[in-house]
Amino acid sequence: MSSTVSKFILPFFIALLFSTAGFAQDKQKFTISGYVKDASNGEYSIGANVYVKELLKGGNTNQYGFYSITVEKGTYHLVVSYIGYQDFVKEIVLDKDMRINVELKPVAINAKEVEVTAERSDKNVTSSNMGAVKLDMEEIKKIPAFLGEVDVLKTIQLLPGIKSSGDGNTGFYVRGGGPDQNLILLDEAVVYNASHLLGFFSVFNGDAVKSINLIKGGMPAQYGGRLASVLDISMKDGNNKEYHAEGGIGIVSSRLTLQGPIVKDKASFIVSGRRTYIDVLARPFAKPGSSLKNSGVYFYDLNAKVNYRLSDKDRIFASGYFGRDIMTFQDKSADFKLGIAWGNSTGVLRWNHLFSDKLFMNVSGIFSDYKFSFGAEQSGFEFKLFSGIRDWNAKVDFGYFPSVRHEVKFGVNYVFHTFTPTSVSAKQGETEFDFGPVKKERAHEAAVYLSDDFDVTEKFRIHAGLRYSYFMKVGPFDRYIKDPMTGQNSGVIHYTSNQKIQEYGGFEPRFNARYTLNSKSSVKVSYTYNLQYIHLASLSAVTLPTDVWVSCSELVKPQKGSQYALGYFRNFLDNSYETSVEVYYKDLKNQIEYKDGSLPGADVNDNSDNSFVFGTGKAYGIEFFLKKRVGKFNGWIGYTLSYTKRLFPELNLGKEFYAKYDRRHDASLVLCYDLSKKFNFAAIWVYGTGNAITIPTSYYVIDGNITYDYSERNAYRMPAYHRLDLSVTYNPDRTKHLERKKQRLMAKYQRQGKDTTSIEVPKRWVKHYESSWNLSIFNVYNRHNPYIIYFANEGSVTTGDLKIKAKQVYLFPILPSITWNFKF
């Protein structure tokens, strides 16, 4: 890889830098730049389309609403368009650099006006991006939600190439990658566990989310550290015009969001919180003395953000997230108590600065933390288990716009990791048991990158990027040496503070290309090579809070992934319909699994990586996607045919096996229908091949004990998963209500003999207020989709009627829910 980079890729980027410098020095070209934001609340618009009408050239605003276009001197019309807003059109005489900040005015969209674009209507064809999807939060809120709680992660699992691991889990698998191979970001901070209540809900509160960008192929160079995908979520900045509140009250949870100006048009805040209350509602119905009376399960989370515009060139943002899941159980009759808690914390401080109309900079300081703890107590004996990971991250990113044909990005990133693999403590009364000190592992990770998105010709567009990453594990650390014959400890190597234990690094090239066949269709190709230095060790077929994050070491090498993709993209009926077909092949190295028989927490006076085995993997498939963009009736259909395989010399007798998240067929249908301004209907249907499992195929009895023979690893399948969800949303029409109040006021004036020709409606009557009722039905036809399949013995050996039967556990029958949403 390194020799290839030296010979071909590095010279390409050197030439690229010289070419962009040439564009920047052209005296006949001038730059239009500025920010695009919502006129009603001051929120910066991410991905708004900005272009010069006469040239049909331009670009999109970045994550902070900034754009820059450099074209030749002349008279043009600058156009800015965005979903749900009036197009901004301004005639300009471009004979000097110009700063044009744009405030877009919202419009009411009906069936005929929907083509006030969400983005460039032909972006599906013209963009060089492959496997990239931007989701609109308002569109997500129309989709049927589990127990009324809008869920970002469950929505992205309805897209081709992205697989759910079933009910009760928000872990997702992208093109054959594991759940740890997804980079999940909230305002640039890494979220290590994105689920609440063992996966029933995600950690993302829809009322606080502004934009969702998913990349499942063709990952740009500014992202790294994961092999499979990026889910980049941005929080709202907060309304800097006026104060607002919104929220919802549902059967099992409620939420509230407050936002408003600190200094009007310069600074704003937003605070958003949620909590479930199943435990509170169930407790009064528990019988006195029952365990339910002192037990419960719930989650809460809080999002907060402030921003301040120091000048037209400088802005600062501070945001944070804190969430916890709590599970408690107490049985007084048995003198038993159990407590489990886990959750994420993040904090981000950012500074934007404009050096010039062409050079944008963002500096970020980021904190991320994930903790899991388990505690049990009985008859004076206490047992505790905990694990976690904490990051301190600093990064600087630049955006450089030398010409309308180029968008250059470059930057550096540094992370200091602190890992706490599973640690155990216990005591009986005042007696403490020695399990050794709490084991913490530390590592440095850094990266530098450069990329350019540029038009080679009118039809040929390339996105090329190069990233170099570096990882070093450091002390203090104790390495336990294993005797290869006995498997017992034979010695310990002690590393002092900051002493280098192991280092890795390498180049990560990224490449996307688009060739336009005509105005309605294009062909795209992509290649990405990624390195991943941290890993999630899991024994379960689903992601659980007990899963442990571990770093690379002398034993654990970086995961490596190469992905090749080819796609055909076509729009129909004046860009009303978008279609795509993508094929991909992914090659994975240094994959990680637990050894057979290993258990988390069993590494007392040992290292967690001594319990791992390593292998390779491959994944390939084809994805079909059809989306209707406009009109009262819209939605999409997705289908994926895929194969995901693993090969570990120490597992399955060295034979290749299907990964536990391999799913041959995966289909989804999403439909939304706006009957009127009052009523919206939506439906979801999903189908997926059952998860791969290992089962006992025979048994024999020795001295009255049953011993099982098992199949090859993941050789059997659970029953197929399928489900239908429906929802209806009712939006009361306040116009008629206000009209009735006005008529009553007129009647009152007439009775009093007052003039009714110029009645002024009191401001408090017309204050902006919205509410809606959402009724959702989950699993309409009551499908018993398997969550776990286990095997139970019926009969006995002595009576000769012993039978082994498979039994299925499912989580959710048909579940209706109702939620009242409000905004004022």
Side-chain angles (χ1 to χ4, degrees):
M1 175 58 65
S2 60
S3 62
T4 302
V5 170
S6 301
K7 290 181 180 179
F8 300 104
I9 299 178
L10 288 178
F12 168 78
F13 274 98
I14 293 172
L16 174 63
L17 287 175
F18 281 110
S19 69
T20 56
F23 278 110
Q25 295 169 1
D26 192 333
K27 301 297 184 180
Q28 297 302 313
K29 294 185 178 182
F30 299 98
T31 301
I32 317 159
S33 64
Y35 290 88
V36 178
K37 59 183 179 180
D38 187 326
S40 66
N41 56 31
E43 287 273 358
Y44 291 106
S45 302
I46 301 174
N49 185 35
V50 186
Y51 64 97
V52 175
K53 185 176 181 180
E54 287 75 9
L55 303 177
L56 290 178
K57 291 188 177 296
N60 298 317
T61 54
N62 68 8
Q63 189 175 355
Y64 303 96
F66 178 76
Y67 74 93
S68 177
I69 301 173
T70 300
V71 294
E72 295 181 354
K73 177 180 179 180
T75 300
Y76 303 106
H77 287 86
L78 180 69
V79 181
V80 182
S81 61
Y82 200 55
I83 176 65
Y85 295 86
Q86 297 177 14
D87 283 1
F88 172 89
V89 182
K90 182 176 182 178
E91 185 178 9
I92 57 173
V93 177
L94 189 62
D95 54 6
K96 61 182 178 180
D97 292 340
M98 303 179 70
R99 177 68 54 82
I100 302 177
N101 295 325
V102 178
E103 292 195 352
L104 296 177
K105 297 179 180 179
V107 295
I109 300 180
N110 58 39
K112 295 182 179 180
E113 294 172 333
V114 171
E115 294 189 42
V116 177
T117 56
E119 51 195 9
R120 274 187 63 171
S121 58
D122 60 351
K123 192 173 183 179
N124 178 55
V125 173
T126 60
S127 169
S128 62
N129 293 332
M130 274 196 75
V133 181
K134 289 187 177 180
L135 297 174
D136 177 59
M137 202 62 225
E138 294 305 313
E139 185 178 1
I140 291 176
K141 289 181 178 181
K142 292 182 180 180
I143 295 174
F146 175 69
L147 294 178
E149 190 68 35
V150 174
D151 197 318
V152 171
L153 295 190
K154 284 185 169 58
T155 301
I156 67 170
Q157 292 166 16
L158 300 172
L159 298 169
I162 304 173
K163 299 178 175 64
S164 162
S165 56
D167 289 337
N169 196 289
T170 50
F172 60 98
Y173 309 95
V174 179
R175 290 184 172 179
D180 64 323
Q181 295 175 2
N182 302 312
L183 179 62
I184 303 175
L185 302 173
L186 179 63
D187 268 3
E188 297 190 58
V190 175
V191 177
Y192 281 100
N193 188 314
S195 67
H196 280 308
L197 296 185
L198 301 177
F200 297 141
F201 303 98
S202 78
V203 300
F204 304 111
N205 184 344
D207 290 344
V209 171
K210 176 164 69 173
S211 71
I212 304 155
N213 186 27
L214 172 70
I215 304 170
K216 58 182 178 179
M219 189 184 299
Q222 67 262 35
Y223 298 110
R226 301 294 188 276
L227 301 187
S229 74
V230 178
L231 180 62
D232 194 350
I233 297 177
S234 297
M235 288 174 55
K236 292 178 180 176
D237 298 324
N239 194 314
N240 67 15
K241 304 288 185 180
E242 54 189 10
Y243 296 99
H244 281 280
E246 65 178 305
I249 300 174
I251 295 176
V252 298
S253 66
S254 290
R255 63 191 191 278
L256 177 65
T257 300
L258 303 174
Q259 58 180 314
I262 300 172
V263 178
K264 191 172 183 179
D265 294 327
K266 293 192 70 174
S268 63
F269 75 92
I270 182 170
V271 179
S272 186
R274 294 186 298 174
R275 191 195 193 279
T276 56
Y277 35 71
I278 304 173
D279 56 322
V280 178
L281 296 179
R283 209 161 283 157
F285 299 97
K287 295 179 180 180
S290 72
S291 58
L292 182 60
K293 200 73 175 176
N294 300 292
S295 305
V297 54
Y298 64 93
F299 79 80
Y300 61 89
D301 58 25
L302 179 72
N303 296 78
K305 188 172 184 178
V306 295
N307 72 92
Y308 190 86
R309 182 172 62 86
L310 301 173
S311 67
D312 198 39
K313 290 188 175 183
D314 295 276
R315 290 162 172 77
I316 55 174
F317 303 81
S319 60
Y321 168 86
F322 182 84
R324 283 294 179 270
D325 288 72
I326 308 293
M327 297 180 66
T328 59
F329 177 83
Q330 183 174 0
D331 187 345
K332 291 186 176 180
S333 63
D335 191 24
F336 177 75
K337 289 195 300 185
L338 174 71
I340 305 175
W342 69 93
N344 301 275
S345 304
T346 70
V348 183
L349 181 63
R350 291 180 286 183
W351 168 46
N352 294 169
H353 178 70
L354 277 180
F355 286 99
S356 69
D357 293 330
K358 297 181 181 181
L359 184 60
F360 178 92
M361 179 191 72
N362 178 69
V363 179
S364 301
I366 305 166
F367 168 80
S368 295
D369 181 75
Y370 172 72
K371 294 178 180 177
F372 169 81
S373 65
F374 170 93
E377 182 179 348
Q378 187 171 29
S379 302
F381 177 76
E382 296 182 21
F383 175 82
K384 294 181 180 179
L385 180 148
F386 51 95
S387 64
I389 180 171
R390 173 175 290 184
D391 292 346
W392 294 95
N393 184 353
K395 61 197 294 280
V396 183
D397 300 287
F398 293 88
Y400 178 52
F401 309 87
S403 77
V404 74
R405 302 176 74 94
H406 286 261
E407 181 179 347
V408 179
K409 295 181 180 180
F410 57 97
V412 296
N413 182 21
Y414 166 77
V415 186
F416 180 70
H417 300 287
T418 302
F419 302 86
T420 306
T422 303
S423 296
V424 176
S425 66
K427 70 177 183 176
Q428 177 74 52
E430 298 301 320
T431 304
E432 295 190 4
F433 299 92
D434 183 15
F435 290 97
V438 174
K439 296 185 289 293
K440 291 192 175 183
E441 301 176 11
R442 299 163 179 84
H444 303 278
E445 184 175 353
V448 58
Y449 72 89
L450 169 67
S451 69
D452 189 12
D453 200 0
F454 62 99
D455 292 315
V456 180
T457 67
E458 293 298 320
K459 290 191 172 186
F460 188 42
R461 185 175 181 86
I462 287 178
H463 177 93
L466 182 65
R467 181 183 183 91
Y468 182 84
S469 60
Y470 174 79
F471 182 90
M472 180 172 67
K473 185 172 182 177
V474 297
F477 178 71
D478 291 336
R479 164 59 66 189
Y480 293 90
I481 307 301
K482 292 291 184 181
D483 187 301
M485 301 298 294
T486 65
Q488 302 299 313
N489 289 341
S490 60
V492 181
I493 301 175
H494 300 284
Y495 293 91
T496 60
S497 180
N498 291 318
Q499 182 180 355
K500 182 175 72 174
I501 301 171
Q502 187 69 38
E503 64 180 346
Y504 298 99
F507 288 100
E508 304 175 41
R510 318 286 173 81
F511 179 83
N512 292 359
R514 179 267 298 157
Y515 183 78
T516 303
L517 301 175
N518 52 50
S519 62
K520 296 179 180 180
S521 61
S522 65
V523 175
K524 303 179 186 180
V525 297
S526 72
Y527 168 74
T528 57
Y529 178 77
N530 298 64
L531 296 172
Q532 180 169 329
Y533 300 105
I534 65 174
H535 323 273
L536 187 66
S538 175
L539 284 171
S540 172
V542 296
T543 52
L544 295 173
T546 53
D547 297 342
V548 178
W549 288 93
V550 297
S551 72
C552 283
S553 65
E554 314 95 300
L555 303 180
V556 181
K557 303 296 190 293
Q559 295 186 58
K560 300 178 181 180
S562 298
Q563 182 178 202
Y564 310 83
L566 171 67
Y568 174 71
F569 298 78
R570 183 177 177 85
N571 289 0
F572 295 92
L573 298 179
D574 196 25
N575 297 314
S576 297
Y577 290 84
E578 296 179 352
T579 63
S580 64
V581 179
E582 295 186 48
V583 294
Y584 67 88
Y585 178 85
K586 184 181 292 186
D587 181 59
L588 303 170
K589 299 185 184 302
N590 300 332
Q591 300 302 284
I592 182 172
E593 292 277 3
Y594 272 107
K595 293 178 180 177
D596 287 335
S598 296
L599 290 173
D603 54 352
V604 177
N605 293 324
D606 199 355
N607 304 118
S608 57
D609 53 11
N610 284 326
S611 300
F612 302 149
V613 293
F614 309 97
T616 61
K618 60 183 178 183
Y620 49 93
I622 183 168
E623 302 167 1
F624 299 88
F625 189 58
L626 167 64
K627 181 179 181 180
K628 186 175 186 294
R629 300 177 61 251
V630 298
K632 286 188 172 185
F633 184 72
N634 52 70
W636 69 80
I637 301 172
Y639 170 74
T640 305
L641 171 67
S642 62
Y643 296 80
T644 304
K645 299 178 181 180
R646 296 289 185 264
L647 178 62
F648 285 71
E650 297 180 58
L651 298 179
N652 201 45
L653 300 177
K655 299 178 183 178
E656 189 176 63
F657 59 90
Y658 288 111
K660 56 191 174 186
Y661 34 82
D662 172 73
R663 184 172 292 177
R664 191 70 59 250
H665 304 284
D666 191 80
S668 60
L669 172 65
V670 179
L671 302 174
C672 298
Y673 180 63
D674 296 329
L675 179 65
S676 64
K677 290 182 178 181
K678 285 187 177 182
F679 289 98
N680 310 103
F681 295 89
I684 292 173
W685 183 77
V686 294
Y687 175 89
T689 302
N691 289 339
I693 58 172
T694 306
I695 65 171
T697 55
S698 62
Y699 70 92
Y700 51 92
V701 180
I702 301 178
D703 296 331
N705 297 317
I706 303 173
T707 303
Y708 297 99
D709 281 332
Y710 284 85
S711 68
E712 291 189 358
R713 195 178 185 93
N714 297 335
Y716 287 82
R717 296 277 177 175
M718 288 186 179
Y721 181 101
H722 53 89
R723 190 189 78 240
L724 172 68
D725 303 337
L726 299 174
S727 75
V728 58
T729 301
Y730 170 64
N731 304 283
D733 186 357
R734 295 191 69 247
T735 306
K736 293 182 179 179
H737 173 69
L738 291 174
E739 187 61 32
R740 288 194 297 269
K741 292 186 73 172
K742 183 176 180 180
Q743 290 174 356
R744 287 197 295 269
L745 183 62
M746 290 180 63
K748 179 180 177 181
Y749 277 24
Q750 288 172 350
R751 288 195 302 270
Q752 296 174 352
K754 296 181 179 180
D755 182 16
T756 61
T757 57
S758 59
I759 289 180
E760 291 188 7
V761 177
K763 289 184 178 181
R764 67 180 185 275
W765 288 10
V766 295
K767 186 176 180 179
H768 183 71
Y769 171 76
E770 298 176 10
S771 70
S772 65
W773 289 91
N774 178 268
L775 172 64
S776 294
I777 304 176
F778 179 88
N779 196 9
V780 171
Y781 50 80
N782 200 30
R783 165 73 175 177
H784 292 179
N785 287 302
Y787 182 65
I788 296 173
I789 291 180
Y790 68 97
F791 293 83
N793 301 340
E794 294 185 358
S796 68
V797 175
T798 56
T799 59
D801 59 350
L802 177 64
K803 294 181 179 179
I804 310 298
K805 286 195 172 182
K807 295 191 175 182
Q808 173 181 306
V809 176
Y810 71 94
L811 291 180
F812 305 120
I814 181 172
L815 283 176
S817 64
I818 188 167
T819 304
W820 176 59
N821 299 300
F822 60 87
K823 183 177 181 180
F824 57 86

